[in-house]
Amino acid sequence: QVQLVESGGDSVQAGGSLRLSCAASDDTYGYYFMGWFRQSPGKEREGVASINSRTTTTYAESVKGRFTVSHDAAKSTLYLEMRSLKPEDTAMYYCAAQKQFRFGYEWHDGRLYDYWGQGTQVAVSS
């Protein structure tokens, strides 16, 4: 069982920046997909960003140009650099990982991923 541990969540003002980290207990080199999701109270979980084994990145429209996902395989760590934060970015952020190929799910579909972290809270005030 792969353990994922997120960190870096905090309370910031609108316009601020944060960097989230997700450390994995396994060697994540070659993982099929790794991603970030978020969920705020009363809302469904949504995909924020992902990176695949070819290092292709994908983003939700709401964060394009503001967030950057990266993966340091040598450290088995996934990152999410967040800039120009908005109050609507407030949520619990989760990282997710899928080691092997899985057919039929898009990057933003949680069913693609086998492993999930416990989450780190991001709060953005106006």
Side-chain angles (χ1 to χ4, degrees):
Q1 184 74 8
V2 177
Q3 307 291 328
L4 301 176
V5 180
E6 303 96 334
S7 61
D10 204 348
S11 297
V12 296
Q13 290 196 329
S17 300
L18 284 174
R19 187 175 83 155
L20 306 184
S21 300
C22 171
S25 61
D26 188 28
D27 180 358
T28 55
Y29 179 80
Y31 263 45
Y32 180 52
F33 262 93
M34 298 187 76
W36 288 96
F37 288 74
R38 67 185 181 187
Q39 188 169 21
S40 50
K43 293 188 177 181
E44 290 190 359
R45 182 179 62 193
E46 64 170 338
V48 176
S50 74
I51 185 167
N52 66 14
S53 56
R54 298 193 183 104
T55 69
T56 301
T57 57
T58 315
Y59 298 91
E61 284 297 324
S62 59
V63 307
K64 273 184 183 177
R66 300 188 299 120
F67 290 11
T68 303
V69 61
S70 60
H71 175 216
D72 187 339
K75 296 182 179 179
S76 295
T77 301
L78 182 71
Y79 300 99
L80 185 68
E81 194 78 38
M82 305 187 293
R83 301 179 299 276
S84 301
L85 283 161
K86 304 175 181 180
E88 51 264 42
D89 295 318
T90 295
M92 184 72 80
Y93 283 71
Y94 301 91
C95 80
Q98 175 58 21
K99 189 170 187 176
Q100 297 175 335
F101 174 80
R102 174 166 287 167
F103 178 77
Y105 300 108
E106 297 291 330
W107 71 270
H108 52 80
D109 189 331
R111 294 173 294 178
L112 173 61
Y113 304 88
D114 277 342
Y115 307 113
W116 292 83
Q118 294 299 307
T120 187
Q121 181 68 44
V122 172
V124 185
S125 58
S126 57

